[in-house]
Amino acid sequence: MSALMVELERDERRRRRVAALVVASCLTGVGTWLALPFGIVVLTRGDLLGWVLIAAGIVLLAATVVAIVAARRLRRAPESAEGKANPVFDEPRPSSDPRGGYSMVGSQLGSR
C-alpha cells in the first residue's frame, strides 16, 4: 500500500473517531439535560433517588465536556493536511500573454 493510501486511511479513521466523539457528546449532553433537573425535582420531594440522579447528571456532564474537548483536539484542520490550497490562488495577476487583451475594468453600462 502506498504512503498516500496509508495517510488517507489514517485521516478517514480520525474523521470517524471525531464523528463518534461528537455523537457521544450529544448523547451524554441529552442525558445530563434529563438527569439533573429530574434529580433536583426528586430531591425536593425528599427521595434518595434524587442524589443518585444528580450524581449521574454530573458524571454525564463531565463526560460531555471530555468528549467535546477530545473531538476538538483530535480534529485535523484542513489547512494542515497534505496538498493544501494555494493561498494566492484568488489574487489577480497580470497576464503573461504578450498580445494583451480586451479589458472592461472601470467601464459602466451606458458609458461612452
Side-chain angles (χ1 to χ4, degrees):
M1 187 179 275
S2 71
L4 181 62
M5 291 304 291
V6 170
E7 186 68 26
L8 287 174
E9 287 292 324
R10 188 178 308 137
D11 283 346
E12 186 61 32
R13 281 194 307 269
R14 182 181 292 212
R15 272 192 292 271
R16 283 192 298 254
R17 226 176 291 134
V18 168
L21 284 169
V22 168
V23 168
S25 68
C26 290
L27 292 177
T28 56
V30 168
T32 302
W33 183 72
L34 291 174
L36 272 176
F38 190 65
I40 292 171
V41 169
V42 171
L43 184 65
T44 58
R45 300 164 115 189
D47 201 354
L48 183 62
L49 179 64
W51 286 112
V52 173
L53 287 172
I54 289 174
I58 291 171
V59 168
L60 286 171
L61 180 63
T64 303
V65 170
V66 167
I68 289 171
V69 169
R72 178 65 183 117
R73 287 187 178 189
L74 192 62
R75 185 181 165 273
R76 184 171 172 185
E79 293 83 30
S80 67
E82 296 284 327
K84 64 180 180 179
N86 185 356
V88 294
F89 179 75
D90 288 333
E91 292 181 8
R93 292 184 185 161
S95 175
S96 60
D97 188 1
R99 295 175 294 158
Y102 178 72
S103 174
M104 295 202 47
V105 174
S107 63
Q108 298 176 346
L109 287 177
S111 64
R112 294 182 184 186

XYZ file of all heavy atoms in Angstrom:
837
model
N 0.841 -1.170 0.000
C 0.000 0.000 0.000
C 0.894 1.244 0.000
O 1.873 1.327 0.729
C -0.890 -0.042 1.244
C -1.912 1.043 1.264
S -2.985 0.971 2.719
C -4.205 -0.170 2.170
N 0.542 2.207 -0.792
C 1.374 3.408 -0.921
C 1.240 4.304 0.307
O 0.309 4.174 1.103
C 0.967 4.176 -2.174
O -0.298 4.772 -1.984
N 2.161 5.207 0.424
C 2.163 6.124 1.565
C 0.933 7.032 1.531
O 0.363 7.372 2.577
C 3.434 6.955 1.555
N 0.493 7.398 0.331
C -0.693 8.242 0.206
C -1.941 7.511 0.705
O -2.764 8.086 1.416
C -0.875 8.677 -1.250
C -2.074 9.584 -1.513
C -1.931 10.884 -0.734
C -2.199 9.864 -2.987
N -2.065 6.239 0.353
C -3.223 5.465 0.804
C -3.205 5.275 2.323
O -4.254 5.318 2.972
C -3.267 4.108 0.098
C -3.585 4.205 -1.378
S -5.147 5.067 -1.694
C -6.293 3.897 -1.052
N -2.016 5.085 2.878
C -1.907 4.954 4.340
C -2.353 6.247 5.008
O -3.084 6.229 6.001
C -0.454 4.586 4.729
C -0.251 4.695 6.219
C -0.110 3.199 4.238
N -1.932 7.376 4.455
C -2.327 8.672 5.008
C -3.833 8.900 4.869
O -4.476 9.423 5.790
C -1.557 9.790 4.304
C -1.784 11.162 4.877
C -1.206 11.322 6.268
O -0.244 10.621 6.614
O -1.736 12.164 7.015
N -4.404 8.508 3.743
C -5.852 8.649 3.560
C -6.623 7.775 4.542
O -7.642 8.196 5.096
C -6.235 8.304 2.125
C -5.852 9.330 1.073
C -6.148 8.802 -0.327
C -6.582 10.622 1.300
N -6.157 6.552 4.769
C -6.801 5.672 5.747
C -6.704 6.259 7.151
O -7.669 6.200 7.922
C -6.159 4.283 5.715
C -6.527 3.465 4.508
C -7.993 3.078 4.518
O -8.542 2.806 5.609
O -8.600 3.055 3.435
N -5.564 6.827 7.493
C -5.382 7.433 8.813
C -6.329 8.622 8.980
O -6.946 8.788 10.037
C -3.931 7.871 8.971
C -3.609 8.325 10.375
C -2.160 8.727 10.551
N -1.250 7.690 10.083
C -0.166 7.924 9.362
N 0.152 9.145 9.019
N 0.618 6.937 8.991
N -6.464 9.445 7.946
C -7.385 10.582 8.013
C -8.834 10.111 8.133
O -9.620 10.720 8.861
C -7.231 11.470 6.783
C -6.004 12.352 6.862
O -5.422 12.474 7.957
O -5.620 12.911 5.812
N -9.184 9.037 7.415
C -10.548 8.518 7.494
C -10.849 7.981 8.894
O -11.942 8.211 9.433
C -10.756 7.418 6.447
C -12.169 6.916 6.368
C -13.164 7.993 5.992
O -12.806 8.909 5.244
O -14.315 7.899 6.465
N -9.902 7.271 9.501
C -10.098 6.779 10.872
C -10.245 7.943 11.840
O -11.081 7.903 12.755
C -8.916 5.899 11.292
C -8.981 4.499 10.749
C -7.987 3.579 11.451
N -6.622 4.083 11.442
C -5.719 3.810 10.500
N -6.043 3.020 9.492
N -4.499 4.306 10.583
N -9.465 8.992 11.635
C -9.553 10.168 12.501
C -10.917 10.833 12.363
O -11.532 11.226 13.351
C -8.452 11.151 12.137
C -8.428 12.371 13.015
C -7.336 13.290 12.590
N -6.055 12.653 12.879
C -4.966 13.311 13.207
N -4.993 14.610 13.276
N -3.855 12.682 13.442
N -11.418 10.949 11.130
C -12.740 11.547 10.917
C -13.837 10.729 11.581
O -14.770 11.285 12.172
C -13.020 11.675 9.426
C -12.530 12.963 8.827
C -13.079 13.183 7.436
N -12.552 12.235 6.471
C -11.442 12.399 5.758
N -10.766 13.451 5.886
N -11.027 11.510 4.909
N -13.734 9.391 11.477
C -14.734 8.534 12.129
C -14.671 8.674 13.647
O -15.706 8.703 14.320
C -14.529 7.082 11.722
C -15.044 6.759 10.334
C -15.095 5.266 10.099
N -13.782 4.661 10.187
C -13.070 4.230 9.155
N -13.552 4.345 7.942
N -11.884 3.689 9.325
N -13.460 8.767 14.207
C -13.309 8.928 15.648
C -13.895 10.258 16.108
O -14.582 10.326 17.144
C -11.830 8.843 16.011
C -11.567 7.954 17.189
C -10.093 7.810 17.482
N -9.426 7.049 16.434
C -8.283 7.370 15.856
N -7.627 8.436 16.241
N -7.757 6.621 14.918
N -13.662 11.317 15.356
C -14.215 12.630 15.705
C -15.738 12.589 15.631
O -16.424 13.107 16.522
C -13.648 13.730 14.787
C -14.409 15.028 14.940
C -12.179 13.955 15.079
N -16.282 11.952 14.602
C -17.744 11.847 14.481
C -18.327 11.053 15.645
O -19.377 11.421 16.199
C -18.113 11.194 13.154
N -17.676 9.977 16.044
C -18.155 9.182 17.175
C -18.111 9.992 18.470
O -19.037 9.911 19.295
C -17.324 7.912 17.311
N -17.066 10.789 18.642
C -16.992 11.620 19.842
C -18.057 12.712 19.850
O -18.608 13.046 20.897
C -15.597 12.239 19.963
C -14.507 11.287 20.452
C -13.139 11.929 20.278
C -14.740 10.913 21.894
N -18.371 13.269 18.694
C -19.426 14.285 18.624
C -20.776 13.663 18.958
O -21.574 14.237 19.714
C -19.444 14.962 17.235
C -20.686 15.796 17.040
C -18.207 15.804 17.054
N -21.048 12.475 18.428
C -22.303 11.787 18.743
C -22.357 11.457 20.234
O -23.395 11.646 20.893
C -22.454 10.507 17.880
C -23.580 9.638 18.377
C -22.687 10.895 16.428
N -21.244 10.984 20.789
C -21.207 10.662 22.220
C -21.436 11.909 23.065
O -22.153 11.853 24.080
C -19.871 10.021 22.574
N -20.866 13.030 22.657
C -21.075 14.253 23.430
C -22.530 14.714 23.359
O -23.073 15.204 24.351
C -20.133 15.359 22.962
O -20.462 15.782 21.667
N -23.162 14.541 22.216
C -24.584 14.894 22.099
C -25.449 14.002 22.987
O -26.349 14.478 23.692
C -25.043 14.801 20.644
S -24.364 16.074 19.588
N -25.180 12.715 22.960
C -25.972 11.787 23.774
C -25.768 12.021 25.265
O -26.732 12.010 26.044
C -25.626 10.346 23.409
C -26.068 9.893 22.012
C -25.593 8.476 21.735
C -27.574 9.984 21.881
N -24.526 12.234 25.693
C -24.299 12.492 27.111
C -24.857 13.853 27.518
O -25.308 14.022 28.652
C -22.803 12.404 27.458
O -22.078 13.298 26.631
C -22.283 10.991 27.307
N -24.868 14.804 26.601
C -25.486 16.100 26.891
C -26.986 15.973 27.107
O -27.548 16.584 28.016
N -27.634 15.163 26.282
C -29.070 14.919 26.463
C -29.309 14.188 27.785
O -30.256 14.496 28.518
C -29.646 14.122 25.264
C -31.038 13.621 25.556
C -29.648 14.996 24.025
N -28.441 13.231 28.107
C -28.566 12.524 29.380
C -28.413 13.469 30.564
O -29.145 13.354 31.561
N -27.496 14.395 30.470
C -27.324 15.405 31.520
C -28.563 16.268 31.638
O -29.047 16.540 32.739
C -26.106 16.294 31.201
O -24.956 15.477 31.093
C -25.893 17.343 32.256
N -29.065 16.695 30.498
C -30.247 17.547 30.469
C -31.461 16.846 31.088
O -32.311 17.488 31.697
C -30.524 17.936 29.019
C -31.663 18.880 28.840
C -31.706 20.205 29.155
C -32.933 18.556 28.287
N -32.928 20.718 28.830
C -33.699 19.736 28.298
C -33.496 17.393 27.786
C -34.997 19.767 27.827
C -34.793 17.431 27.311
C -35.528 18.611 27.334
N -31.528 15.527 30.945
C -32.646 14.787 31.532
C -32.415 14.450 33.005
O -33.338 14.505 33.815
C -32.878 13.492 30.748
C -33.412 13.655 29.327
C -33.444 12.301 28.620
C -34.789 14.269 29.344
N -31.197 14.085 33.367
C -30.943 13.580 34.716
C -30.887 14.687 35.764
O -31.465 14.541 36.851
C -29.647 12.779 34.732
N -30.188 15.774 35.495
C -30.008 16.810 36.519
C -31.320 17.467 36.966
O -31.606 17.487 38.161
C -29.009 17.855 36.040
C -27.541 17.555 36.341
C -26.642 18.619 35.736
C -27.290 17.441 37.804
N -32.134 17.996 36.065
C -33.376 18.622 36.540
C -34.327 17.621 37.207
O -34.954 17.937 38.218
C -34.010 19.202 35.272
C -32.912 19.300 34.292
C -31.956 18.230 34.628
N -34.398 16.439 36.639
C -35.280 15.428 37.238
C -34.768 15.039 38.623
O -35.551 14.838 39.550
C -35.385 14.217 36.320
C -36.444 13.247 36.745
C -37.778 13.592 36.730
C -36.091 11.976 37.184
C -38.753 12.697 37.137
C -37.057 11.075 37.589
C -38.393 11.437 37.566
N -33.438 14.935 38.772
C -32.863 14.623 40.079
C -33.132 15.710 41.095
O -33.404 15.420 42.269
N -33.084 16.963 40.666
C -33.377 18.069 41.584
C -34.831 18.026 42.020
O -35.147 18.228 43.199
C -33.015 19.411 40.921
C -31.495 19.509 40.746
C -33.533 20.587 41.731
C -31.033 20.670 39.913
N -35.729 17.755 41.089
C -37.155 17.670 41.433
C -37.401 16.521 42.400
O -38.125 16.665 43.395
C -38.004 17.516 40.143
C -39.438 17.152 40.480
C -37.957 18.793 39.330
N -36.797 15.369 42.152
C -36.984 14.215 43.027
C -36.370 14.489 44.402
O -36.904 14.091 45.433
C -36.389 12.945 42.378
C -36.375 11.778 43.348
C -37.178 12.575 41.132
N -35.246 15.209 44.422
C -34.587 15.529 45.688
C -35.443 16.461 46.534
O -35.458 16.349 47.759
C -33.218 16.149 45.420
C -32.361 16.443 46.653
C -31.986 15.135 47.345
C -31.122 17.209 46.264
N -36.166 17.391 45.907
C -37.018 18.306 46.669
C -38.165 17.569 47.340
O -38.717 18.066 48.317
C -37.585 19.415 45.768
O -38.324 18.832 44.702
C -36.468 20.292 45.232
N -38.507 16.383 46.853
C -39.544 15.564 47.487
C -38.971 14.744 48.639
O -39.707 14.055 49.327
C -40.173 14.636 46.468
C -40.830 15.382 45.330
C -41.081 14.459 44.198
N -42.507 14.303 43.961
C -43.017 13.433 43.143
N -42.225 12.580 42.529
N -44.300 13.377 42.936
N -37.649 14.811 48.814
C -37.017 14.097 49.916
C -36.649 12.661 49.602
O -36.434 11.861 50.508
N -36.524 12.330 48.333
C -36.204 10.958 47.931
C -34.697 10.817 47.700
O -34.049 11.720 47.172
C -36.964 10.610 46.648
C -37.117 9.118 46.436
O -36.547 8.343 47.215
O -37.810 8.754 45.465
N -34.132 9.679 48.097
C -32.702 9.418 47.914
C -32.342 9.263 46.433
O -31.207 9.521 46.031
C -32.301 8.156 48.683
C -30.834 7.790 48.658
C -30.006 8.886 49.303
C -30.590 6.466 49.339
N -33.283 8.876 45.610
C -33.045 8.722 44.179
C -32.607 10.037 43.540
O -31.872 10.046 42.547
C -34.320 8.197 43.491
C -34.255 7.992 41.984
C -33.232 6.910 41.659
C -35.614 7.648 41.445
N -33.002 11.163 44.136
C -32.596 12.473 43.612
C -31.090 12.648 43.646
O -30.504 13.154 42.688
N -30.434 12.227 44.744
C -28.972 12.319 44.827
C -28.303 11.447 43.780
O -27.296 11.834 43.191
C -28.483 11.925 46.222
C -28.758 12.967 47.255
C -29.623 12.864 48.296
C -28.179 14.264 47.330
N -29.619 14.023 49.025
C -28.740 14.895 48.448
C -27.256 14.960 46.564
C -28.397 16.205 48.815
C -26.914 16.248 46.932
C -27.479 16.855 48.041
N -28.867 10.281 43.537
C -28.306 9.377 42.525
C -28.408 10.005 41.132
O -27.454 9.977 40.348
C -29.008 8.003 42.566
C -28.561 7.124 41.420
C -28.777 7.331 43.903
N -29.548 10.600 40.844
C -29.734 11.242 39.540
C -28.852 12.473 39.387
O -28.313 12.729 38.301
C -31.203 11.605 39.334
C -32.140 10.426 39.062
C -33.591 10.894 39.069
C -31.794 9.781 37.745
N -28.682 13.233 40.455
C -27.805 14.399 40.382
C -26.361 13.961 40.156
O -25.643 14.541 39.334
C -27.940 15.259 41.653
C -29.306 15.948 41.655
C -26.822 16.291 41.742
C -29.619 16.702 42.922
N -25.923 12.928 40.854
C -24.564 12.416 40.656
C -24.383 11.898 39.233
O -23.350 12.149 38.588
C -24.263 11.311 41.671
N -25.392 11.187 38.714
C -25.324 10.688 37.335
C -25.283 11.853 36.345
O -24.552 11.818 35.345
C -26.503 9.775 37.043
N -26.042 12.893 36.619
C -26.041 14.065 35.749
C -24.696 14.767 35.740
O -24.221 15.212 34.692
N -24.050 14.852 36.896
C -22.732 15.485 36.961
C -21.697 14.647 36.224
O -20.843 15.184 35.499
C -22.335 15.725 38.432
C -23.238 16.816 39.025
C -20.876 16.112 38.553
C -23.096 17.010 40.504
N -21.769 13.327 36.370
C -20.848 12.446 35.643
C -21.078 12.572 34.137
O -20.126 12.631 33.352
C -21.005 10.987 36.121
C -20.281 10.031 35.197
C -20.504 10.847 37.547
N -22.337 12.632 33.731
C -22.642 12.790 32.300
C -22.170 14.146 31.784
O -21.704 14.256 30.648
C -24.137 12.611 32.054
C -24.656 11.178 32.126
C -26.177 11.165 32.076
C -24.084 10.356 30.995
N -22.275 15.174 32.599
C -21.794 16.494 32.195
C -20.277 16.471 31.998
O -19.764 17.013 31.011
C -22.174 17.542 33.237
C -21.736 18.974 32.953
C -22.394 19.493 31.679
C -22.064 19.866 34.131
N -19.575 15.806 32.908
C -18.123 15.685 32.761
C -17.772 14.888 31.507
O -16.831 15.232 30.782
C -17.525 15.020 33.996
N -18.527 13.820 31.232
C -18.277 13.022 30.025
C -18.537 13.847 28.763
O -17.822 13.708 27.763
C -19.154 11.773 30.034
N -19.540 14.712 28.804
C -19.826 15.582 27.665
C -18.655 16.526 27.396
O -18.207 16.672 26.254
C -21.098 16.412 27.927
O -22.181 15.529 28.193
C -21.439 17.296 26.758
N -18.139 17.140 28.450
C -17.027 18.074 28.295
C -15.787 17.346 27.776
O -15.097 17.829 26.869
C -16.738 18.798 29.631
C -15.451 19.594 29.561
C -17.905 19.698 29.994
N -15.514 16.164 28.328
C -14.345 15.397 27.887
C -14.483 15.004 26.416
O -13.526 15.098 25.640
C -14.151 14.145 28.775
C -13.172 13.177 28.158
C -13.686 14.562 30.157
N -15.671 14.577 25.997
C -15.875 14.181 24.598
C -15.721 15.375 23.656
O -15.136 15.248 22.572
C -17.253 13.543 24.433
N -16.222 16.533 24.063
C -16.099 17.718 23.207
C -14.636 18.136 23.075
O -14.150 18.425 21.973
C -16.951 18.875 23.763
C -18.441 18.570 23.579
C -16.606 20.199 23.092
C -19.354 19.536 24.289
N -13.917 18.154 24.194
C -12.509 18.549 24.158
C -11.687 17.548 23.351
O -10.828 17.926 22.542
C -11.961 18.705 25.594
C -10.453 18.858 25.592
C -12.611 19.902 26.277
N -11.967 16.252 23.533
C -11.226 15.229 22.778
C -11.503 15.336 21.284
O -10.591 15.209 20.463
C -11.594 13.840 23.289
N -12.755 15.575 20.905
C -13.090 15.712 19.488
C -12.416 16.945 18.891
O -11.930 16.904 17.757
C -14.601 15.805 19.312
N -12.360 18.016 19.657
C -11.730 19.234 19.151
C -10.227 19.054 18.976
O -9.639 19.522 18.015
C -12.025 20.390 20.130
C -11.386 21.677 19.750
C -11.963 22.198 18.434
N -11.281 23.416 18.062
C -10.546 23.546 16.963
N -10.416 22.542 16.137
N -9.964 24.667 16.678
N -9.594 18.364 19.914
C -8.153 18.156 19.801
C -7.804 17.138 18.728
O -6.740 17.213 18.122
C -7.592 17.683 21.137
C -7.549 18.789 22.144
C -6.840 18.343 23.373
N -6.767 19.460 24.310
C -6.064 19.440 25.397
N -5.371 18.371 25.719
N -6.045 20.479 26.194
N -8.685 16.186 18.493
C -8.424 15.136 17.518
C -8.672 15.608 16.097
O -8.054 15.113 15.150
C -9.292 13.915 17.827
C -8.971 12.630 17.118
C -7.572 12.166 17.475
C -9.972 11.565 17.518
N -9.562 16.589 15.933
C -9.897 17.083 14.600
C -8.668 17.709 13.964
O -7.918 18.433 14.587
C -10.999 18.127 14.706
C -11.480 18.601 13.379
C -12.560 19.665 13.554
N -12.766 20.347 12.309
C -12.076 21.406 11.914
N -11.141 21.905 12.668
N -12.322 21.971 10.762
N -8.491 17.437 12.701
C -7.349 17.979 11.968
C -7.847 19.074 11.037
O -8.741 18.861 10.223
C -6.699 16.862 11.157
C -5.456 17.282 10.444
C -4.774 16.080 9.874
N -3.678 16.471 9.023
C -2.975 15.636 8.318
N -3.254 14.356 8.380
N -1.997 16.057 7.565
N -7.249 20.227 11.153
C -7.659 21.357 10.326
C -7.302 21.092 8.873
O -6.240 20.546 8.581
C -6.975 22.630 10.809
N -8.184 21.458 7.928
C -7.882 21.224 6.513
C -6.615 21.920 6.046
O -5.940 21.448 5.156
C -9.099 21.796 5.783
C -10.167 21.907 6.785
C -9.502 22.034 8.123
N -6.250 23.048 6.659
C -5.053 23.761 6.236
C -3.782 22.988 6.553
O -2.746 23.201 5.961
C -4.978 25.138 6.903
C -6.059 26.084 6.450
C -7.351 25.876 7.206
O -7.313 25.465 8.376
O -8.413 26.095 6.615
N -3.869 22.074 7.553
C -2.670 21.344 7.933
C -2.530 20.028 7.169
O -1.563 19.316 7.355
C -2.686 21.062 9.434
O -3.726 20.170 9.750
N -3.487 19.722 6.326
C -3.449 18.466 5.576
C -2.496 18.597 4.390
O -2.161 19.693 3.937
C -4.846 18.104 5.071
N -2.057 17.454 3.900
C -1.189 17.436 2.724
C -1.946 17.999 1.527
O -3.146 17.790 1.374
C -0.760 16.007 2.414
C 0.079 15.378 3.496
C 1.495 15.891 3.496
O 2.001 16.205 2.405
O 2.079 15.993 4.575
N -1.252 18.673 0.645
C -1.873 19.186 -0.576
C -2.839 20.319 -0.316
O -3.879 20.406 -0.942
N -2.528 21.186 0.642
C -3.441 22.280 0.966
C -3.528 23.264 -0.209
O -2.679 23.286 -1.093
C -3.008 22.982 2.232
C -1.672 23.674 2.134
C -1.327 24.336 3.453
C 0.007 25.019 3.342
N 0.358 25.685 4.567
N -4.538 24.084 -0.179
C -4.807 25.016 -1.269
C -3.728 26.089 -1.345
O -3.089 26.433 -0.352
C -6.165 25.665 -1.063
N -3.543 26.619 -2.546
C -2.587 27.687 -2.775
C -3.172 28.985 -2.209
O -4.238 29.425 -2.632
C -2.341 27.816 -4.279
C -1.278 28.826 -4.615
O -0.754 29.492 -3.740
N -0.963 28.932 -5.886
N -2.489 29.657 -1.257
C -3.076 30.852 -0.645
C -3.197 32.036 -1.601
O -3.973 32.940 -1.356
C -2.120 31.173 0.505
C -0.843 30.507 0.152
C -1.198 29.316 -0.694
N -2.445 32.065 -2.703
C -2.528 33.184 -3.646
C -3.358 32.823 -4.875
O -3.270 33.492 -5.894
C -1.112 33.642 -4.075
C -0.354 34.221 -2.911
C -0.333 32.522 -4.710
N -4.189 31.796 -4.770
C -4.969 31.341 -5.915
C -5.917 32.420 -6.422
O -6.062 32.626 -7.625
C -5.754 30.082 -5.551
C -6.606 29.569 -6.657
C -6.053 28.908 -7.732
C -7.980 29.751 -6.636
C -6.828 28.434 -8.765
C -8.767 29.278 -7.655
C -8.199 28.614 -8.716
N -6.586 33.133 -5.525
C -7.590 34.122 -5.927
C -7.024 35.517 -6.150
O -7.761 36.426 -6.485
C -8.689 34.199 -4.870
C -9.565 32.972 -4.889
O -9.672 32.338 -5.949
O -10.138 32.634 -3.840
N -5.736 35.699 -5.979
C -5.160 37.020 -6.178
C -4.999 37.291 -7.674
O -4.506 36.457 -8.424
C -3.802 37.117 -5.490
C -3.897 37.079 -3.989
C -2.547 37.191 -3.326
O -1.551 37.450 -4.037
O -2.496 37.020 -2.109
N -5.431 38.477 -8.112
C -5.285 38.791 -9.543
C -3.818 38.987 -9.917
O -3.037 39.559 -9.164
C -6.071 40.092 -9.701
C -6.146 40.669 -8.344
C -6.080 39.531 -7.373
N -3.454 38.504 -11.079
C -2.096 38.645 -11.607
C -2.194 39.145 -13.047
O -3.129 38.797 -13.762
C -1.369 37.305 -11.615
C -1.069 36.773 -10.256
C -0.262 35.502 -10.365
N -0.062 34.926 -9.064
C 0.281 33.675 -8.864
N 0.443 32.861 -9.891
N 0.458 33.226 -7.656
N -1.228 39.920 -13.469
C -1.251 40.355 -14.877
C -1.026 39.157 -15.793
O -0.358 38.195 -15.443
C -0.104 41.350 -14.962
C 0.733 41.117 -13.763
C -0.128 40.485 -12.730
N -1.612 39.239 -16.944
C -1.498 38.154 -17.905
C -0.072 38.050 -18.443
O 0.603 39.054 -18.680
C -2.459 38.395 -19.075
O -2.263 37.416 -20.061
N 0.353 36.828 -18.635
C 1.683 36.632 -19.211
C 1.613 36.591 -20.739
O 2.636 36.432 -21.405
C 2.279 35.329 -18.687
O 1.438 34.238 -19.044
N 0.418 36.758 -21.299
C 0.235 36.765 -22.748
C 0.716 38.108 -23.320
O 0.192 39.166 -22.954
C -1.250 36.558 -23.069
C -1.505 36.361 -24.542
O -0.534 36.366 -25.328
O -2.680 36.197 -24.910
N 1.696 38.116 -24.207
C 2.233 39.388 -24.725
C 1.255 40.109 -25.644
O 1.430 41.298 -25.910
C 3.494 38.969 -25.476
C 3.276 37.546 -25.841
C 2.415 36.971 -24.762
N 0.232 39.431 -26.139
C -0.712 40.074 -27.064
C -1.683 40.982 -26.332
O -2.406 41.740 -26.954
C -1.499 39.007 -27.826
C -0.624 38.170 -28.724
C -1.422 37.070 -29.345
N -1.841 36.153 -28.274
C -2.872 35.329 -28.354
N -3.610 35.311 -29.434
N -3.177 34.524 -27.367
N -1.771 40.904 -25.019
C -2.719 41.744 -24.286
C -4.125 41.188 -24.414
O -4.337 40.020 -24.696
N -5.083 42.045 -24.245
C -6.466 41.606 -24.347
C -7.415 42.764 -24.138
O -7.014 43.911 -23.958
N -8.692 42.449 -24.186
C -9.734 43.455 -24.044
C -10.148 43.489 -22.575
O -10.504 42.471 -21.999
C -10.918 43.099 -24.927
C -12.064 44.060 -24.817
C -11.970 45.327 -25.359
C -13.232 43.691 -24.168
C -13.015 46.210 -25.259
C -14.289 44.564 -24.068
C -14.176 45.827 -24.615
O -15.209 46.712 -24.517
N -10.103 44.671 -21.970
C -10.455 44.802 -20.569
C -11.623 45.779 -20.419
O -11.669 46.798 -21.088
C -9.248 45.326 -19.778
O -9.624 45.571 -18.458
N -12.522 45.455 -19.526
C -13.653 46.342 -19.258
C -13.570 46.893 -17.853
O -14.563 47.291 -17.270
C -14.963 45.569 -19.451
C -15.154 45.137 -20.883
S -16.820 44.782 -21.381
C -17.769 46.093 -20.790
N -12.377 46.920 -17.286
C -12.214 47.455 -15.929
C -12.509 48.940 -15.945
O -11.987 49.684 -16.761
C -10.784 47.182 -15.427
C -10.541 47.853 -14.095
C -10.535 45.708 -15.357
N -13.347 49.395 -15.040
C -13.676 50.811 -14.929
C -14.814 51.252 -15.827
O -15.261 52.381 -15.742
N -15.303 50.410 -16.710
C -16.389 50.825 -17.590
C -17.720 50.568 -16.894
O -17.835 49.746 -16.000
C -16.329 50.054 -18.919
O -16.522 48.699 -18.678
N -18.740 51.301 -17.350
C -20.078 51.151 -16.799
C -21.051 50.980 -17.932
O -20.772 51.346 -19.081
C -20.462 52.391 -15.996
C -19.572 52.654 -14.797
C -19.951 53.959 -14.104
O -20.684 54.768 -14.644
N -19.421 54.137 -12.917
N -22.214 50.439 -17.620
C -23.250 50.303 -18.651
C -23.705 51.688 -19.100
O -23.948 52.578 -18.287
C -24.446 49.531 -18.095
C -24.226 48.041 -17.893
C -25.473 47.436 -17.259
C -23.969 47.375 -19.214
N -23.776 51.886 -20.373
C -24.209 53.157 -20.935
C -23.123 54.195 -21.028
O -23.387 55.327 -21.395
N -21.920 53.857 -20.679
C -20.831 54.846 -20.761
C -20.311 54.928 -22.183
O -20.476 54.037 -22.982
C -19.692 54.477 -19.805
O -19.130 53.263 -20.204
N -19.650 56.030 -22.521
C -19.161 56.220 -23.878
C -17.698 56.123 -23.931
O -16.905 56.418 -23.189
C -19.605 57.562 -24.412
C -21.089 57.623 -24.567
C -21.451 58.951 -25.129
N -22.915 59.000 -25.158
C -23.566 59.962 -25.679
N -22.946 60.972 -26.231
N -24.857 59.961 -25.679
